[in-house]
């Protein structure tokens, strides 16, 4: 088990180098960012040349990349154009987005699995059908619609919560954005759980458990649910990465200065250090989340072993 | 106990991932009475006077600094602020005398040296200041800011400190309205702490204006407080201003509706229809010094050969400005009839209708003119613009539809959308355009000179179309030498008439500044740069 984890962690190194290089090339392909710093005015050639020199933009691409990687290994992720260190931006944005993701995932799990279990056990009945219709509706409403509508209703019309999130972004303010972010995935979690439960409910081990005379509650939580969670866990694992990087719409609506927003700003301003820094960390999050999912398989299903 | 070891390893891997989440910030709620909460955007560059060239950083500079002159928010006239007088006899050598009693908020006196040091810093190439070209007409600029290579001097020879309250400025050539340009933020004085502890200063800027910076969290907020020791004539009417960065102007507007924000100075286009119902008279929409046009690549022979001026004019006449500004911008743009802005006022050189018929929608004559001029080059025209902001895609499509309808030859007009402003800017600055392209111009100071010389004079700093016309250049140069303001304006307008004749750039519309506010504040006004005049806002 330990060796397996170490091997997986070591495998992350080439993936890390490869992905940083790809992202670096892509941002580089967006073009020269210096001219845009001057707004509507034409860039002053002497000043622009100085800035380019300072940012290593006057070097060939491979030299720029080596320089950037050299910096990273010294813990320096470069600087955004407004003079902020990218490490500072990372330290500001990642905790916020992680909190948001956490809220979203908890909601997905609690509500999604509960609904899934309920409808899976009562397959074909009216509860099942209404949950099915409900998830269909939720899946088909885009995030920006649900975001603006819920924000308007709760924040402005009924005045129950603050419609936007303050810079510190405490958990209490992230509940509504978390719900909005969770909505679409929640529908998937519900459906995955439902199908899985509906399949396993006829499995031999469930019949055995019933025959042993175990209480129904114990059968569902210990035997049925545990074995049905594998597809859900796989989905949540990949979803964590998607939620963190892809929360840009939700972040924009609720004024959350998180990862999505910073990447968007970085792309608009062609700031390579910001984009590469953020995406690199995202890649690591993806890799770790996937490793976690693989390890959880073994926890959920003792038949799966890693050597 | 196999299950337990599995869990152990899983927990182990999670803890690596979650190690970063442990950090949180201390929260600070709204405090103090009389604080204006205002929306903000993240400034693109660090906030320092000679490096800030956009509105968001400009807001802060406008609160924290006072320069030699300041433009009256209503009339746009440059009035003396720190300057007592600026004298000249030959329009080239100026003597600046400062008022006594001005200090920085750290107690340091504002002296002639504060200005001269700040200007020398702004001009020097090593400091990589965006606004350094503003000092280009001071003698000795070439030595501190050569076009290539290292600077050969530390300071500009044209700036000489005479005593604590006097300094002299020698310009490269005559420029009668030069003192009027000094209201621009690049010309403000700087305290010694700026040079001694630059990093520290950038974290918490110190100036001589009515506000001081209490705290600044880059990328999210800035708290400014009224400075009790401020002796200037425009003391803050409120306790302070909290600037809050919003990810989106729609979000800021929602917060205004919910009562979490007092002032939004950029009402989103989507909300313009609701703004009357939502805010009533707590909304202003007034002309700013912003001029939008499409420029022709005069470096491309296909657009510059004789006869093409008719085609260029014809295209201008084929655009239905009235309808586009109403439909897309809900009246927050005004159809342009000259190459300046109504915010200049007539005294400043704005002249309604100067463009004449060439800017009036007339599809029949447009078609005729284009045919007379030999038709569109290759039978087609393609407009280029960045489409990441400002509803550019919408109006470009509308302009093309307008042209296509007027010509009646199918889709001869198309749009070439560019993904980011940076990319668009590179194509523009590299003179790689093959058809007309968008050009937005926000004036730096309310002078007609600023709308014409940089954009259309030969070698002008932002002459992206490379328009060259000897007569135009001559008139601009004569106007700059004129000591009488009215005579100078008349010369500039004569030059502008050449634009009407040659049409190197099609005037589209003047952009307005807009702002909406909560019922907790009053006396909100915008200056010509569409920046709210914060010091005049009253909080109830």
């Amino acid at each position: 088990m330990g060796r397996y984890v170490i091997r997986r962690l070591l495998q992350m190194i080439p993936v890390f180098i490869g992905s940083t290089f790809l992202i670096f090339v892509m941002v580089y392909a967006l073009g020269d960012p210096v001219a845009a710093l001057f707004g509507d005015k034409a860039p002053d050639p002497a000043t622009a040349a100085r800035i380019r020199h300072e940012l290593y933009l006057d070097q060939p691409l491979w030299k720029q990349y080596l320089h950037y990687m050299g910096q990273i290994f010294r813990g320096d992720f470069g600087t955004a154009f407004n003079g902020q260190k990218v490490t500072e931006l990372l330290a500001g944005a990642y905790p916020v987005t992680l909190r948001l993701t956490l809220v979203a995932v908890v909601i997905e799990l609690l509500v999604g699995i509960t609904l899934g279990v309920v409808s899976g056990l009562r397959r074909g009945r009216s509860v099942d059908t209404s949950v099915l219709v409900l998830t269909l509706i939720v899946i088909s409403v885009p995030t920006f619609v649900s975001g603006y509508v819920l924000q308007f209703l709760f924040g402005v019309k009924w005045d129950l919560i603050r419609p936007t999130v303050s810079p510190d972004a405490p958990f209490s303010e992230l509940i509504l954005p978390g719900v909005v972010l969770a909505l679409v995935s929640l529908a998937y979690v519900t459906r995955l759980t439902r199908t899985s439960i509906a399949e396993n409910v006829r499995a031999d081990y469930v019949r055995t458990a019933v025959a042993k005379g175990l209480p129904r509650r114990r059968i569902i939580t210990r035997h049925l649910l545990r074995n049905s969670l594998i597809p859900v866990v796989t989905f949540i694992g990949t979803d964590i990465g998607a939620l963190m990087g892809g929360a840009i719409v939700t972040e924009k609506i609720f004024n959350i200065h998180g990862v999505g927003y910073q990447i968007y700003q970085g792309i608009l301003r062609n700031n390579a250090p910001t984009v590469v820094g953020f995406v690199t960390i995202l890649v690591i999050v993806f890799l770790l989340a996937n490793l976690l999912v693989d390890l959880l398989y073994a926890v959920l299903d003792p038949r799966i072993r890693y050597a | 106990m196999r299950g337990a070891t599995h869990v152990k390893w899983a927990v182990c891997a999670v803890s690596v991932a979650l190690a970063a989440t442990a950090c949180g910030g201390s929260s600070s709620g709204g405090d103090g009475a009389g604080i204006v909460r205002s929306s903000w955007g993240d400034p693109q560059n660090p906030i320092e006077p000679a490096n800030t060239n956009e509105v968001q950083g400009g807001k802060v500079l406008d609160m924290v600094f006072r320069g030699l002159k300041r433009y009256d928010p209503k009339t746009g006239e440059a009035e003396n602020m720190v300057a007592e007088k600026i004298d000249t006899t030959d329009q080239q050598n100026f003597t600046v005398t400062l008022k006594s009693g001005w200090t920085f908020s750290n107690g340091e006196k504002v002296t002639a040296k504060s200005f001269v040091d700040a200007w020398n810093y702004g001009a020097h190439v090593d400091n990589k200041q965006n606004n350094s070209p503003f000092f280009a007409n001071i003698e000795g600029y070439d030595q501190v800011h050569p076009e290539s290579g290292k600077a050969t001097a530390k300071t500009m020879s044209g700036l000489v400190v005479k005593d604590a309250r006097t300094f002299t400025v020698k310009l490269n050539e005559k420029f009668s309205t030069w003192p009027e340009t000094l209201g621009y933020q690049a010309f403000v004085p700087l305290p010694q702490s700026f040079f001694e502890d630059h990093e520290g200063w950038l974290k918490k800027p110190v100036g001589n204006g009515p506000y001081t910076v209490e705290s600044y969290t880059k990328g999210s907020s800035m708290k400014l407080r009224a400075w009790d020791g401020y002796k200037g004539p425009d003391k803050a009417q409120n306790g302070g201003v909290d600037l809050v960065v919003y990810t989106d102007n729609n979000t800021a507007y929602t917060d205004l509706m919910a009562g979490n924000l007092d002032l939004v100075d950029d009402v989103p286009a989507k909300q313009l229809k609701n703004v009357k119902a939502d805010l009533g008279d707590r909304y202003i929409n007034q002309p700013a010094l912003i001029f939008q046009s499409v420029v022709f690549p005069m470096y491309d022979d296909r657009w510059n050969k004789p006869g093409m001026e008719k085609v260029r004019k014809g295209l201008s006449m084929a655009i239905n400005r009235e309808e586009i500004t109403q439909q897309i911008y809900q009246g927050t743009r005004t159809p342009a009839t000259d190459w300046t802005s109504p915010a200049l006022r007539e005294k400043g050189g704005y002249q309604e209708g100067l463009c004449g018929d060439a800017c009036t929608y007339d599809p029949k004559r447009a078609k005729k003119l284009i045919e007379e001029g030999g038709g569109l080059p290759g039978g087609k025209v393609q407009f280029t613009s960045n489409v990441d902001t400002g509803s550019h895609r919408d109006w470009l499509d509308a302009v093309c539809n307008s042209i296509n309808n007027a010509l009646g030859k199918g889709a001869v007009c198309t749009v070439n959308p560019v993904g980011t402003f940076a990319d668009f800017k590179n194509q523009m600055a590299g003179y790689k355009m093959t058809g007309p392209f968008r050009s937005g111009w926000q004036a730096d100071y309310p002078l007609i000179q600023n709308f014409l010389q940089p954009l259309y004079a030969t070698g002008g700093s932002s002459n992206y179309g490379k328009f060259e016309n000897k007569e135009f250049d001559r008139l601009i140069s004569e106007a700059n030498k004129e000591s009488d303001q009215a005579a100078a304006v008349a010369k500039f307008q004569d030059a502008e008439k050449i634009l009407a004749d040659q049409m190197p750039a099609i005037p589209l519309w003047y952009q307005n500044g807009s702002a909406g506010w909560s019922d907790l504040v009053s006396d909100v006004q915008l200056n010509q740069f569409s920046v709210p005049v914060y010091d005049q806002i009253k909080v109830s």
Side-chain angles (χ1 to χ4, degrees):
Chain A
M1 184 77 176
R3 276 169 107 189
Y4 174 76
V5 172
I6 290 165
R7 203 169 67 223
R8 286 287 299 263
L9 288 172
L10 285 177
Q11 278 170 358
M12 287 183 191
I13 296 171
V15 177
F16 171 78
I17 294 176
S19 56
T20 47
F21 182 70
L22 277 180
I23 300 153
F24 199 86
V25 172
M26 280 189 261
V27 180
Y28 182 86
L30 281 176
D32 181 3
V34 176
L37 291 178
F38 293 82
D40 289 335
K41 288 194 197 74
D44 173 64
T47 311
R50 281 295 168 103
I51 296 174
R52 276 196 193 103
H53 180 68
E54 198 117 308
L55 295 173
Y56 263 78
L57 291 171
D58 53 352
Q59 303 284 340
L61 175 61
W62 63 273
K63 267 196 184 167
Q64 286 186 37
Y65 179 68
L66 285 186
H67 173 77
Y68 178 76
M69 288 310 275
Q71 270 189 330
I72 281 196
F73 284 115
R74 274 177 275 128
D76 179 5
F77 276 72
T79 317
F81 290 134
N82 68 359
Q84 256 181 307
K85 290 229 167 296
V86 172
T87 40
E88 239 173 74
L89 290 176
L90 289 169
Y94 264 96
V96 174
T97 299
L98 266 177
R99 280 202 288 276
L100 178 66
T101 311
L102 209 64
V103 173
V105 169
V106 168
I107 294 170
E108 270 174 36
L109 287 176
L110 286 182
V111 183
I113 294 179
T114 315
L115 285 178
V117 170
V118 169
S119 58
L121 290 174
R122 289 160 208 231
R123 206 153 58 111
R125 309 239 196 103
S126 59
V127 182
D128 184 30
T129 325
S130 27
V131 169
L132 220 63
V133 171
L134 209 73
T135 53
L136 195 69
I137 293 172
V138 169
I139 288 177
S140 50
V141 175
T143 309
F144 68 88
V145 175
S146 52
Y148 278 122
V149 169
L150 291 179
Q151 180 188 44
F152 178 75
L153 290 179
F154 284 94
V156 182
K157 190 121 193 235
W158 300 328
D159 207 14
L160 294 172
I161 54 149
R162 224 185 116 98
T164 57
V165 176
S166 57
D168 297 324
F171 273 112
S172 58
E173 290 180 7
L174 289 173
I175 291 173
L176 186 66
V179 169
V180 169
L181 192 58
L183 274 179
V184 174
S185 305
L186 185 135
Y188 287 114
V189 170
T190 308
R191 292 197 155 194
L192 280 173
T193 315
R194 176 194 170 272
T195 318
S196 199
I197 291 266
E199 250 171 46
N200 288 339
V201 85
R202 279 167 297 174
D204 290 342
Y205 63 86
V206 174
R207 208 165 18 170
T208 313
V210 175
K212 275 199 294 185
L214 286 179
R216 182 176 158 79
R217 204 197 155 92
R218 196 170 161 78
I219 298 172
I220 293 173
T221 52
R222 294 292 297 178
H223 295 262
L224 182 55
L225 191 56
R226 191 166 160 178
N227 278 292
S228 307
L229 276 184
I230 287 189
V232 179
V233 166
T234 314
F235 174 75
I236 295 278
T238 49
D239 202 36
I240 286 178
L243 288 178
M244 289 195 69
I248 173 155
V249 176
T250 317
E251 289 187 354
K252 252 189 133 174
I253 294 173
F254 292 98
N255 194 33
I256 301 168
H257 297 245
V259 174
Y261 168 70
Q262 295 291 358
I263 293 178
Y264 177 69
Q265 286 266 319
I267 292 172
L268 271 192
R269 293 175 181 179
N270 275 18
N271 188 278
T274 316
V275 181
V276 181
F278 272 89
V279 179
T280 304
I281 305 284
L282 264 186
V283 169
I284 294 176
V285 171
F286 251 107
L287 292 173
L288 284 176
N290 272 320
L291 172 59
L292 193 65
V293 167
D294 286 348
L295 295 179
L296 274 178
Y297 286 165
V299 177
L300 291 169
D301 187 344
R303 286 170 297 187
I304 300 173
R305 282 182 195 176
Y306 296 112
Chain B
M1 286 295 103
R2 177 152 284 279
T5 49
H6 286 321
V7 174
K8 199 178 84 193
W9 278 103
V11 167
C12 218
V14 180
S15 59
V16 177
L18 292 185
T21 47
C23 10
S26 63
S27 77
S28 49
D31 55 296
I35 306 292
V36 182
R37 298 162 301 173
S38 175
S39 71
W40 200 28
D42 187 21
Q44 190 170 24
N45 299 314
I47 299 173
E48 48 186 339
N51 207 14
T52 295
N53 57 359
E54 41 74 52
V55 174
Q56 304 304 341
K59 282 180 188 171
V60 176
L61 293 177
D62 194 47
M63 284 189 263
V64 177
F65 282 101
R66 286 294 177 264
L68 290 172
K69 293 210 175 223
R70 181 173 162 81
Y71 303 115
D72 184 288
K74 284 215 177 75
T75 63
E77 267 184 68
E79 287 163 354
N80 283 340
M81 197 44 114
V82 181
E84 189 172 279
K85 53 184 195 241
I86 300 173
D87 295 326
T88 182
T89 48
D90 59 358
Q91 327 301 334
Q92 190 170 3
N93 289 284
F94 295 85
T95 306
V96 180
T97 313
L98 310 181
K99 284 177 193 153
S100 58
W102 279 84
T103 58
F104 292 102
S105 59
N106 62 5
E108 186 187 325
K109 279 204 162 78
V110 179
T111 63
K113 193 173 178 313
S114 318
F115 281 96
V116 171
D117 285 355
W119 295 7
N120 277 325
Y121 181 89
H124 203 283
V125 67
D126 287 352
N127 301 324
K128 304 176 309 258
Q129 301 286 294
N130 262 324
N131 289 332
S132 46
F134 282 90
F135 306 101
N137 41 28
I138 297 173
E139 196 180 73
Y141 178 78
D142 295 346
Q143 275 85 52
V144 298
H145 198 112
E147 285 210 13
S148 60
K150 278 196 156 49
T152 53
K154 281 224 159 83
T155 55
M156 292 182 280
S157 54
L159 294 177
V160 182
V161 176
K162 291 287 174 196
D163 59 53
R165 281 175 50 209
T166 326
F167 67 100
T168 58
V169 184
K170 186 173 189 222
L171 302 182
N172 292 327
E173 53 180 6
K174 290 185 183 198
F175 184 9
S176 63
T177 47
W178 180 75
E180 318 288 311
T181 67
L182 297 175
Y184 187 65
Q185 284 153 346
F187 295 104
V188 299
L190 284 169
Q192 283 306 306
S193 62
F194 177 88
F195 307 102
E196 284 155 9
D197 177 18
H198 192 234
E199 284 293 311
W201 192 93
L202 288 181
K203 284 194 182 118
K204 200 174 169 184
V206 172
N208 62 332
Y211 291 91
T212 58
V213 177
E214 187 183 83
S215 69
Y216 177 25
T217 317
K218 268 191 187 161
S220 73
S221 65
M222 181 183 264
K223 288 184 194 300
L224 296 122
R225 291 295 170 264
W227 174 35
D228 291 334
Y230 182 66
K231 301 255 171 25
D234 48 351
K235 219 170 156 50
Q237 302 293 309
N238 46 55
V241 178
D242 284 353
L243 296 174
V244 186
V245 173
Y246 277 88
T247 48
D248 190 40
N249 54 5
N250 263 303
T251 312
Y253 189 81
T254 309
D255 243 0
L256 176 70
M257 293 290 96
N260 290 324
L261 196 66
D262 295 319
L263 177 61
V264 169
D265 65 332
D266 173 21
V267 177
K270 273 194 255 178
Q271 303 287 358
L272 289 171
K273 279 182 188 157
N274 314 326
V275 85
K276 273 262 137 56
D278 288 343
L279 297 171
D281 54 1
R282 287 181 281 120
Y283 169 68
I284 35 173
N285 171 28
Q286 66 176 45
L289 291 169
I290 307 173
F291 172 73
Q292 299 281 357
S293 62
V294 282
V295 175
F296 290 97
M298 303 297 274
Y299 46 83
D300 185 335
D301 266 351
R302 297 179 307 137
W303 285 104
N304 196 15
K305 61 180 189 238
M308 285 311 280
E309 71 277 358
K310 284 191 175 162
V311 176
R312 298 194 295 263
K313 265 198 239 179
L315 282 173
S316 169
M317 291 167 84
I319 299 170
N320 191 343
R321 297 170 178 78
E322 200 71 46
E323 195 175 301
I324 295 172
T325 50
Q326 276 310 319
Q327 292 303 321
I328 294 174
Y329 290 115
Q330 308 285 332
T332 57
R333 306 283 192 278
T334 314
T337 57
D338 78 342
W339 281 261
T340 65
S341 158
L344 274 185
R345 289 157 186 269
E346 282 187 16
K347 204 177 153 211
Y350 165 68
Q351 193 183 339
E352 196 182 340
L354 184 137
C355 178
D357 288 348
C359 294
T360 316
Y361 178 57
D362 187 345
K364 282 205 189 92
R365 271 193 63 200
K367 190 177 176 184
K368 208 171 136 228
L369 263 177
I370 292 175
E371 275 161 10
E372 275 174 26
L376 297 170
K380 283 186 305 227
V381 57
Q382 191 175 45
F383 286 86
T384 304
S385 168
N386 59 315
V387 290
D388 48 353
T389 52
S391 325
H392 292 321
R393 182 77 210 228
D394 299 342
W395 70 254
L396 278 167
D397 283 337
V399 162
C400 261
N401 284 339
S402 192
I403 290 171
N404 286 334
N405 289 342
L407 297 184
K409 283 183 185 157
V412 292
C413 176
T414 50
V415 178
N416 171 28
V418 179
T420 62
F421 179 63
D423 192 8
F424 174 63
K425 195 70 197 294
N426 283 326
Q427 293 186 23
M428 213 155 66
Y431 305 109
K432 286 179 191 138
M433 296 294 182
T434 53
F437 50 95
R438 178 188 78 83
S439 162
W441 182 251
Q442 164 135 31
D444 307 302
Y445 24 82
L447 288 179
I448 183 171
Q449 177 265 348
N450 196 245
F451 279 96
L452 301 178
Q453 192 169 6
L455 296 174
Y456 315 111
T458 305
S461 62
S462 297
N463 187 349
Y464 290 116
K466 283 207 174 168
F467 174 67
E468 286 176 10
N469 185 298
K470 286 211 176 80
E471 181 67 7
F472 183 87
D473 293 347
R474 188 182 62 81
L475 285 165
I476 294 284
S477 146
E478 275 177 21
N480 278 333
K481 285 179 189 142
E482 198 70 61
S483 58
D484 176 54
Q485 203 206 345
V489 164
K491 281 253 162 67
F492 278 120
Q493 285 175 339
D494 286 344
E496 215 182 326
K497 280 170 193 146
I498 293 175
L499 300 181
D501 195 46
Q502 293 293 316
M503 198 60 76
I506 298 178
L508 290 173
W509 33 78
Y510 314 116
Q511 188 168 328
N512 289 3
S514 64
W517 57 94
S518 73
D519 46 14
L520 293 174
V521 297
S522 60
D523 295 81
V524 178
Q525 44 179 329
L526 292 173
N527 66 16
Q528 297 76 20
F529 309 100
S530 61
V531 172
V533 187
Y534 285 105
D535 52 72
Q536 298 301 313
I537 297 175
K538 293 194 177 85
V539 183
S540 60

